[in-house]
Amino acid sequence: MAGFLKRLVPKRFRGEGLTIPAIRLHGAIMAGGGQFRPVLNLATVAPLLDKAFSVKDAPAVAISINSPGGSPVQSRLIYQRIRDLAEEKKKRVLIFVEDVAASGGYMIALAGDEIIADPTSIVGSIGVVSGGFGFPELLKKIGVERRVYTAGENKVVLDPFQPEKERDVEFLKSLQLEIHDTFIQMVKTRRGTLLADHPDIFSGLFWTGRRGQELGLVDALGDMRGEVRRRYGAKTRLELIQPARSLFGRRQPGAAVAAAIAAPLAASAAAGLAEALEERALWARYGL
């Protein structure tokens, strides 16, 4: 009976600590991914965000980021979803950087009302990069002739099986500059006068959390548990919001997993290897 009556009293009057929902956004940011190679994108993150921001009595949502970046589109979509929910639910967003929040990872971090990093974290890398491979000579060596038929002279721009063309590279650079400008404007909007007057902030360089604080890229140094308790009291509890699980305890696969299972095995293996290499290259840039 006493327990029932206690539940009728609002939490703020019970003498109990607050519960702060916490989310871990860890991984490369890509449109694909699957059950055995999870990545960050709006489809995988949105359910976690919705659940975290639905905790009524929580004054804030804590988000841990550990990402070397990836897709600028998915990064911005995640950023926007966080901001939309924060404004809709009237909650403060606290971003905590673990190993790295660089490039697209830092773009997501901008959604925080405050960014708290470990002194040895890596932050920044405000730039845009594209990469690929060229195989025009390989086809000749193995005796394969490539045949491509198009309607439109630019349908094979940057084709890896054709020699690189200067005009194709110039076109790609123009796209990169547009995306870079969008990224820069996001940083200026969210960080405002906190940013130091430093010529390399938007150059693509990255720094430790300690140096990032000096440059205005992060607000403070610390960790999630310590910072949350300092702000909201020693009794504050973190509640980790996790993906839904199946009856067998495994994370529920998304549409991408079902598509991968249905795809031809050889093609899936080749695509998976390429994506894995791309993901590994993202982490390797920051020594991770």
Side-chain angles (χ1 to χ4, degrees):
M1 185 65 175
F4 172 74
L5 294 174
K6 185 177 182 181
R7 287 195 296 271
L8 296 178
V9 179
K11 286 185 178 180
R12 61 181 179 274
F13 298 127
R14 296 181 200 168
E16 298 178 357
L18 289 170
T19 295
I20 302 295
I23 306 173
R24 302 181 78 240
L25 300 184
H26 290 201
I29 306 164
M30 297 180 177
Q35 183 177 11
F36 301 106
R37 196 178 61 82
V39 295
L40 297 178
N41 53 52
L42 185 61
T44 61
V45 169
L48 301 179
L49 294 174
D50 290 341
K51 187 174 180 180
F53 280 93
S54 295
V55 179
K56 293 183 179 180
D57 295 319
V61 172
I63 301 177
S64 166
I65 293 182
N66 186 15
S67 175
S71 165
V73 175
Q74 294 299 322
S75 301
R76 195 175 189 287
L77 288 174
I78 295 171
Y79 159 88
Q80 193 61 55
R81 182 61 61 89
I82 294 171
R83 290 313 313 158
D84 288 346
L85 286 169
E87 294 174 15
E88 177 187 338
K89 303 295 185 179
K90 309 300 181 186
K91 295 187 187 298
R92 194 163 184 79
V93 179
L94 302 176
I95 297 289
F96 294 88
V97 181
E98 292 197 6
D99 290 276
V100 58
S103 194
Y106 185 72
M107 184 183 287
I108 295 175
L110 290 171
D113 294 297
E114 293 180 67
I115 303 175
I116 299 98
D118 186 87
T120 57
S121 296
I122 298 296
V123 297
S125 190
I126 303 168
V128 180
V129 61
S130 299
F133 299 92
F135 307 101
E137 298 302 319
L138 176 63
L139 297 184
K140 295 179 182 178
K141 290 182 179 180
I142 62 177
V144 175
E145 178 185 1
R146 178 162 169 76
R147 298 171 181 174
V148 180
Y149 310 98
T150 70
E153 60 179 337
N154 293 313
K155 287 298 290 183
V156 289
V157 168
L158 298 171
D159 187 328
F161 295 100
Q162 295 186 16
E164 189 174 65
K165 301 180 180 68
E166 184 177 346
R167 68 173 185 174
D168 291 357
V169 176
E170 291 175 356
F171 175 73
L172 177 62
K173 286 290 294 182
S174 70
L175 296 181
Q176 289 179 321
L177 289 173
E178 288 185 34
I179 297 170
H180 191 201
D181 182 65
T182 298
F183 197 173
I184 290 172
Q185 295 309 314
M186 290 175 67
V187 176
K188 288 182 176 180
T189 298
R190 294 297 297 169
R191 302 303 299 171
T193 57
L194 295 173
L195 290 173
D197 184 13
H198 194 286
D200 290 329
I201 283 184
F202 303 121
S203 70
L205 284 180
F206 46 89
W207 297 272
T208 64
R210 186 179 300 280
R211 180 62 174 145
Q213 183 185 27
E214 295 172 1
L215 294 172
L217 297 175
V218 304
D219 296 285
L221 304 178
D223 65 281
M224 183 182 290
R225 183 176 181 274
E227 188 66 24
V228 165
R229 288 193 169 194
R230 185 184 70 80
R231 290 167 183 258
Y232 300 108
K235 293 183 178 180
T236 304
R237 185 176 69 89
L238 287 166
E239 180 182 351
L240 181 62
I241 306 299
Q242 301 188 72
R245 295 180 179 272
S246 68
L247 293 175
F248 301 101
R250 296 180 179 177
R251 292 181 180 178
Q252 293 280 17
V257 178
I261 293 173
L265 183 59
S268 296
L273 177 59
E275 290 177 352
L277 290 173
E278 180 184 358
E279 182 179 351
R280 185 71 197 98
L282 286 172
W283 289 105
R285 288 191 64 221
Y286 308 103
L288 300 170

